[in-house]
C-alpha cells in the first residue's frame, strides 16, 4: 500500500475560459463531468446557485467547480464563510425564494456540523408544509477513502442520510453517471444528497450529453448467474474487477451499481437475486447500521424463498475511519470481495 | 444616526413611550413614527388587545384538553405587533414558535395558528401565501433561513426584506451566530429581531449573554439597536428604520427588543419553580397594552367607542378561535404517508399501499380505531 | 386517540430536601429511578457532573434531575446556555480533565445540533489516541413518541448512533433498568447514548438498589416458542401486551428487550431464534436504515438454517415524525405487532 | 488596562517590536516581558529558526512522498512560539492542525508530529502527557473542548489555563461562537488564541469577519487584544497577560494575533490560483524571524556563535526528523481494530477475530499484502 495524496497528481490550471457546453460524447474525468453537469444546469436555469467553501477562485479543493465563478459571477457561485450549518441553512432560505441551491461540502467528514439543518429542515419542509414548500437542494459530498488522507477526509456517511426520510440519496461511480445524475439531482424537486467517489475523481471515461435513465434505476454493470454483488460509488470498479477474477474461477458474478441509495431500486435487485439466489453487498461504510444490513433485510423479506444462502456483507469494520497506513485493511478490496463471494457460495468458512 | 450602535455594548434603552404612557422624544426614532395618526394608534391598540385575547383563549383551550400545548406571548404584544405591523407585504418572516401576534399581522387566521398545537398539521398555514415561514421549533434554525432568503433577495435585486424572530436563549446557538456571519459577509437585507423576554424556559438571560444581547451584533459587523420592547412606538420605529436600511442596501440590522415573558414558557411549564414573583410584578407595571392605553387616554382617544369596539373584535375573534379549534378536522389517516417527497418515490409508495391494505383489513368492523 | 400533553399529569413539586439514597427495593417512576441513579452516581464519584438546559432549578423539563442542584451545587449540576454542540463539546473537555459528564439533551429532536461533536469527537477520541484518552460521557436522551407533542419532540434517532462506531447505545424500558443502567452507563469508560422512553417516565415499578447484570445483556421479558418479538424502550410494554394477546390465540411469543442497542446481545437473540425460527423486530424509528434491518441481516447470517420464514419488521414509516393526530398511525401498536406475528407465521398476506 | 478591549472593534495593533526590529513601548504589555534576558531572546530566536526548519523539512518529505500531506506554518512562527513559550506546564493546549510549533513548545518530539501526516497514527502523541490535545481537524471543535476543560479547572479550584488555538476561518463556525458563550457564562479560565493568517484556504479573512476578528469577543463579554502576531514579544506579553487574567479569576480573554500564512494552505494547495503575489511580498517584509534577528543584532546578541549554534540545532533536528519519519514503523494490521472501545465489546471483538482469521488464511503465501 502506498500513500496517495489528495491531488498528488498535477491538476490542469484554470484556463479562465468558459468551456464549451457538452454537445457530443467526450472523454472526461469524473470531476470534470460533474463540472460540465453543473455548468449545464446553471445555463439552463438561472435559479441554480452554488454555495460552498473555496468553490470560487479556487474552484473547490477538487476543482469540481473550476471556472464557474468566472462564467457565472459571485451571485451564482458563492464562496461562503467557513460554516456548514449556514451553508445548508441559507440554502433552505434560498429554496424558500425559489432557488435551486447546490451546496458543496468540502469532505464527507465535514457534513456533520450541517447535520441538523439537513435532517431537521431540508428533509422535512415538504412534509411539514403538506407540499406547499419544495426543497430542491442538492448537497454534493465527495466521499470515501483510499486516498491516504488524514482523519475526516475518507468517510462514508451515506447511511445517516438513507435513514432520514424526505431525502433522496445518490452515489455515482463513473463520469457518465456523474454528469447525468448531477443534472437530475439539481432538477429534482426533492432534496438530494449527492455522493461523489473522491478516489475516482481523476478517472476518465466517455460522457454523452444525454440525461440518461432516471437516477432511481440501478444499473447492472456485469451480468452473471451465480452471485449478485451489490455496491455503489468507488467500489463499483473494484466489484467489476472481482467479477472478472471470479469468472476465471468459473463463478459468474452479477455486479449491480445501485446509483440511488434512497430509494433503492428493488425491482432490479430482486430480479437479480431471483436468478442467482445469492447476495453479497459491499460498501466502505461500517457494517453495523450500514446500507448492507438494510438491503439484506429487505431482500430477505422479498426473496426469502429464492435465497440459497444467507446474504453476506463485505464492508468497512465497525471502527472510526482509520489512519492512512491502515485503511487498506478497512476498505473492502478485491480479495475481500472474492472472500465474500466464496462465503456466500459456501466455499469457505 | 446615533442610535445604531456599531460597536460596544449599548446600554441605552431606546424609548418613545414611558411606562406611564408619556410620549418621549428620540431624534433617530421619531421620524419613523412621525406620520402616525390617532387611528393608527387605535389600530395598534386593538391588535394588541386581540392577540392577548387569542393568547388567553388558546391557553384556556389547552387547559380544557383541546390543544396539546400552547406557548403564550403574554407581555410581548408590543414587540410582536409593533414589528409585525412595520413590515411590507412582500417582506418575509422567519419566526420561532411564540410569534403568534406576528402571524396575526401576516393575515394568518387565528384558527390556523392553532393547527400545530392541536396536532392536526405541522404547518398551520401556507408559508408562501402569508410570506411567513413555518415557525421553527429547533431554536435558532430559522435565522439561517432568513439570511439565505435575504441573500436571494439581494441576488434578485429586490428590495424585500427578511425578518428573523428569535429569543434571548437562541443567541447561544451556533446557528444564530453563523447567521450573523453570513448576513454581514453578504450584506443581506435581513433584520434580526430578538425578543429578549428575560427567560429561556427556566434560564435567565444572563446565563446566555453576559455582555447584553444587543452588544453581540456589532462585533459581527452588524449594527444593533436596543429598544424597549414593551413600547410599541419604539418597536415600530426601530423596525422601520432597520427595514429601510435593508431596503436601501444598508445590509442587516440587529434589534434587541427588551420585553418580558409574563406567562409560563408554555402551558406545560411551571415558572414558580424558578422565577421570583417580584420580577413578574415589576414587569406587570410595564405592561405594553396599559402603556399604549395611557397614551391614547392622554390624547383623548381611549373613547368608550374604541373600548367597546376593541372588546367586540376580541370577543368575536375568541369565539371564532374556539369554534374553529374544536371544528378542526382530524387529518385523514393516509395523509400520514403523503408529501414526504414532491415526486413519486418507490419506497414510500409501497409503504402507503401496504398501510392502506392494512387499514382496509379492519373495514368490516368499522376501520382501525384512530 | 386522545392528545396527551407533555407532563399533562401534575408532577410532584421539588421538596428541596435531599432524597434518601435507595437502600432497599422501592416503587419509583422511571423518571424518579433515573434521578435516584444519577444521585447515587454523583455521591459515589465526585467527578460525575451533569450538564444540560434547564436541569438546575427546574430539574429538567421532565424533572429527571429534580433536587440535584440543591444537593450538589452549581459546579456539579450545570445549567448550560442553550447550545447542544457546546453541551457535548464542553463535556469532551471535561473528560480530558478526568470528569465523567452526564449530558441531558432536552428532547430527542434537539440532539442534531450536537451531532458533530458526538460523531466526530466523543465517539473517536479513544480510538484516535490509541487508548490514551477515555470519554466516559453519558448522553441522556428522552426519546420516542406517543405523547401528542409538536415536531422534534417524539423522535427515535438511535440508529444514527448505532451506526457510529465508538459509541455504546442503551435504551431502557422500566424503572429497574433505568436505575441500574444509568449507573452502569456513567461508570462505563466508554461514551454511552442513553435513551429514555419519555412516554413511560411516569410509569412506576419496583427498583432495587442493585446494579444488576451488565447493560450489554438483553432481557427475555416473556418466554415463548413460536415467534421471537424483539424490541426496546417504550415498545417493550406494548410487545408484552401483544404476547399476552397472541397467547389467547394460541401463539407463544418470546419477547426480548434488547437494552443494549450497540453492541447487541446476539447470544440471547440467537438462542431465541434457534428455538422459535421466526423473528419480528419492532421499533418506533423509521424502517429504512433502522435497527430492525441491521438485526435481521445479522440474524439471517447467523441463523439462516434455523429461520422458517423471512423476519418481519413492524416499525414507524419512512416519514418525518408526523403531527400528533397522526402519530397513532405511525407508531407500532398492539394490532400492528400482532399483524407482524401473523405475517411471520404465514397467517396473513 | 487600556489594551484590553471590552467593547467596540479594536483597530489598534499592539506591537513591541517594529518590522525593522526596533523595540517599541506599550505600557500594558511591557511589564509582561520586562524580565526577559538576552538569553531568553536568543532562545526564542532559536525556537523560531528550528520550527521553520522542521516545517521546511516536512514539506520536503511530503514532496518526496514520505508524508501524505503537510500544513506549513511558515510565517506564523512568532505567533506560535511566543504564545507556546508563555504557557505553564500544567496549562493545556487545544489546537488545530497547524500548531506544530506549539507542539514543539509542549515537548512533543518532531517525529511524533509527523505521525499523523505519514498516516501511521491519528494522534502523534499522548495528549495527557504533553498536555496538548490531539489537534482538531474539524474546524473549531477544539474551542469547545478547551472551554470545557477550563470549566473543569474552575470547578476544581485549579489555576491552570486552557488555551484554544484556531484560525481566522474558524471564527465563522457555530462551535467557536458557542465556546465564547460558554466561556463567558462560566468565566472559564481559557485563552482564545486566534491566528489571523489572512486566509482560510482560498478565502480571505474579510469573507469571514466583516468587523475584524478581535472585535467579535467583547460582544460576548470577553475582552480581546489585537496584536502583531509576527512580533514575538507582543505575542508573549499578550499571552502572559491573558493567562494571568485567567489564573487570577478574571475569566476568558480573546487574542487576535495578526499574522500571515506565507506558504500554501497545505502541500496539496496552490495559492497562485487565488492569492495576489504582491500580498506575499508585502508580508515577507514583516517576517517574524528577521524581525527578532534585527533586535538581537541591534543588541549585539546575534553573534556568530548564536547563529552557528542555532544552525546546528536546526540541522540536527531536521536530520532527526527525516530519519525519524522514514523510520516510523507501519502499524500492525490488527491495530486497525484496537481501541475502538475502552472496555470489551462483543461486536468489535468478533470482527477482530474474523479479520485475524482472514489474514491468517493468507499466511502460507506470506500474509496479505499491506
Ligand atoms: C435546538 C433546541 N434545543 C432545545 C430546545 C428546547 N427549547 C424550546 S424553547 C427553549 C427556550 C428558548 O428560549 P428563547 O430563545 O429565549 O425563546 P422564548 O421561549 O423565551 O421565546 C428551549 C430550550 C429546542 N426547541 N431546540
Ligand atoms: C468543519 C470543517 N469544515 C471544513 C474543513 C476544511 N478545511 C480545512 S482547513 C480550512 C480552512 C481553515 O482556515 P483557518 O481557520 O483560517 O485556519 P488556517 O488553515 O488558516 O490555519 C478548511 C475550510 C474542515 N477541516 N472542517
Ligand atoms: Mg426568551
Ligand atoms: Mg487562516
Amino acid at each position: 500500500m502506498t500513500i496517495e495524496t489528495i491531488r498528488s497528481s498535477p491538476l490542469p490550471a484554470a484556463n479562465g475560459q468558459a468551456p464549451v457546453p457538452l454537445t457530443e460524447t467526450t472523454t472526461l474525468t469524473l470531476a470534470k463531468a460533474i463540472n460540465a453537469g453543473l455548468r449545464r444546469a446553471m445555463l439552463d436555469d438561472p435559479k441554480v446557485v452554488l454555495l460552498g467553501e473555496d468553490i470560487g477562485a479556487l474552484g473547490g479543493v477538487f476543482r469540481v467547480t473550476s471556472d464557474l465563478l468566472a462564467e457565472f459571477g459571485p451571485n451564482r457561485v458563492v464562496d461562503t464563510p467557513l460554516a456548514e450549518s449556514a451553508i445548508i441553512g441559507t440554502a433552505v432560505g434560498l429554496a424558500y425564494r425559489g432557488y435551486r441551491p447546490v451546496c458543496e461540502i468540502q469532505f464527507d467528514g465535514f457534513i456533520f456540523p450541517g447535520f441538523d439543518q439537513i435532517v431537521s429542515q431540508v428533509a422535512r419542509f415538504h412534509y411539514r408544509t403538506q407540499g406547499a414548500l419544495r426543497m430542491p437542494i442538492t448537497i454534493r459530498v465527495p466521499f470515501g477513502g483510499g486516498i491516504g488522507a488524514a482523519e475526516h477526509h475518507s468517510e462514508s456517511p451515506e447511511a445517516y442520510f438513507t435513514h432520514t426520510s424526505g431525502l433522496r440519496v445518490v452515489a455515482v461511480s463513473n463520469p457518465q453517471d456523474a454528469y447525468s445524475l448531477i443534472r437530475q439531482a439539481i432538477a429534482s424537486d426533492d432534496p438530494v444528497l449527492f455522493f461523489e467517489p473522491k478516489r475516482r475523481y481523476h478517472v476518465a471515461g466517455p460522457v454523452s450529453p444525454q440525461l440518461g435513465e432516471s437516477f432511481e434505476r440501478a444499473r447492472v454493470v456485469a451480468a452473471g448467474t451465480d452471485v449478485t454483488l451489490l455496491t455503489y460509488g468507488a467500489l463499483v470498479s473494484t466489484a467489476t474487477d472481482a467479477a472478472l477474477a471470479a469468472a476465471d474461477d468459473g463463478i459468474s458474478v452479477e455486479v449491480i451499481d445501485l446509483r440511488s441509495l434512497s430509494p433503492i431500486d428493488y425491482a432490479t435487485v430482486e430480479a437479480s437475486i431471483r436468478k442467482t439466489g445469492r447476495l453479497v453487498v459491499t460498501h466502505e461504510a461500517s457494517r453495523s447500521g450500514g446500507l448492507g444490513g438494510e438491503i439484506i433485510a429487505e431482500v430477505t423479506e422479498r426473496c426469502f424463498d429464492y435465497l440459497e444462502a444467507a446474504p453476506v456483507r463485505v464492508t468497512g469494520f465497525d471502527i472510526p475511519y482509520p489512519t492512512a497506513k491502515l485503511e487498506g485493511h478497512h476498505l473492502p478490496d478485491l480479495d475481500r470481495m472474492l472472500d465474500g463471494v466464496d462465503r456466500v457460495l459456501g466455499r469457505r468458512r | 444616526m446615533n442610535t445604531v450602535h456599531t460597536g460596544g455594548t449599548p446600554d441605552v434603552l431606546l424609548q418613545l413611550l414611558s411606562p406611564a404612557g408619556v410620549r418621549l422624544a428620540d431624534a433617530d426614532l421619531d421620524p419613523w413614527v412621525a406620520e402616525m395618526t390617532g387611528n393608527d394608534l387605535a389600530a395598534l391598540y386593538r391588535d394588541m388587545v386581540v392577540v392577548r385575547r387569542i393568547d388567553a383563549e388558546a391557553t384556556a383551550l389547552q387547559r380544557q384538553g383541546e390543544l396539546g400545548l400552547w406557548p403564550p406571548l403574554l407581555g410581548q404584544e408590543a414587540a410582536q405587533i409593533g414589528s409585525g405591523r412595520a413590515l411590507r407585504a412582500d417582506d418575509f418572516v422567519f419566526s420561532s414558535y411564540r410569534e403568534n401576534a406576528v402571524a396575526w399581522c401576516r393575515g394568518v387566521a387565528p384558527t390556523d395558528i392553532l393547527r400545530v398545537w392541536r396536532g392536526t398539521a405541522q404547518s398551520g398555514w401556507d408559508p408562501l401565501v402569508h410570506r411567513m415561514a413555518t415557525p421553527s421549533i429547533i431554536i435558532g434554525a430559522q435565522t439561517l433561513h432568513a439570511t439565505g432568503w435575504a441573500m436571494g433577495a439581494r441576488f434578485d435585486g429586490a428590495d424585500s426584506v427578511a425578518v428573523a424572530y428569535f429569543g434571548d436563549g437562541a443567541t447561544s446557538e451556533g446557528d444564530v451566530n453563523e447567521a450573523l456571519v453570513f448576513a454581514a459577509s453578504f450584506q443581506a437585507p435581513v433584520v434580526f429581531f430578538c425578543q429578549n423576554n428575560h427567560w429561556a424556559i427556566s434560564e435567565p438571560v444572563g446565563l446566555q449573554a453576559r455582555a447584553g444581547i444587543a452588544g453581540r451584533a456589532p462585533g459581527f459587523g452588524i449594527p444593533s439597536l436596543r429598544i424597549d420592547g414593551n413600547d410599541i412606538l419604539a418597536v415600530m420605529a426601530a423596525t422601520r428604520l432597520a427595514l429601510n436600511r435593508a431596503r436601501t442596501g444598508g445590509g442587516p440590522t440587529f434589534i434587541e427588543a427588551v420585553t418580558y415573558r409574563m406567562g409560563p414558557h408554555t402551558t406545560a411549564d411551571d415558572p414558580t419553580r424558578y422565577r421570583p414573583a417580584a420580577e413578574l410584578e415589576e414587569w406587570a407595571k410595564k405592561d405594553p397594552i396599559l402603556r399604549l392605553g395611557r397614551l391614547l387616554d392622554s390624547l383623548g382617544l381611549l373613547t368608550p367607542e374604541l373600548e367597546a369596539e376593541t372588546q367586540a373584535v376580541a370577543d368575536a375573534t375568541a369565539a371564532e378561535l374556539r369554534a374553529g379549534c374544536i371544528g378542526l378536522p382530524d387529518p385523514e389517516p393516509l395523509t400520514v404517508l403523503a408529501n414526504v417527497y414532491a415526486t413519486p418515490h418507490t419506497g414510500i409508495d409501497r409503504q402507503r399501499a401496504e398501510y392502506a391494505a392494512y387499514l382496509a383489513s379492519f373495514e368490516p368492523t368499522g376501520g382501525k380505531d384512530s
Side-chain angles (χ1 to χ4, degrees), chain B residues 76 98 167-170 195-201 203 261:
Chain B
Q76 302 178 218
R98 205 183 296 285
D168 45 298
Q195 290 171 80
N196 172 4
N197 66 4
H198 284 79
W199 292 91
I201 308 187
E203 301 189 338
R261 190 196 82 202

Side-chain angles (χ1 to χ4, degrees), chain B residues 56-75:
Chain B
E57 195 68 24
T59 299
L61 284 163
Q62 195 282 331
R63 300 282 178 234
Q64 292 153 15
E66 298 293 344
L67 296 180
L69 193 79
W70 178 252
L73 57 70
L74 187 69

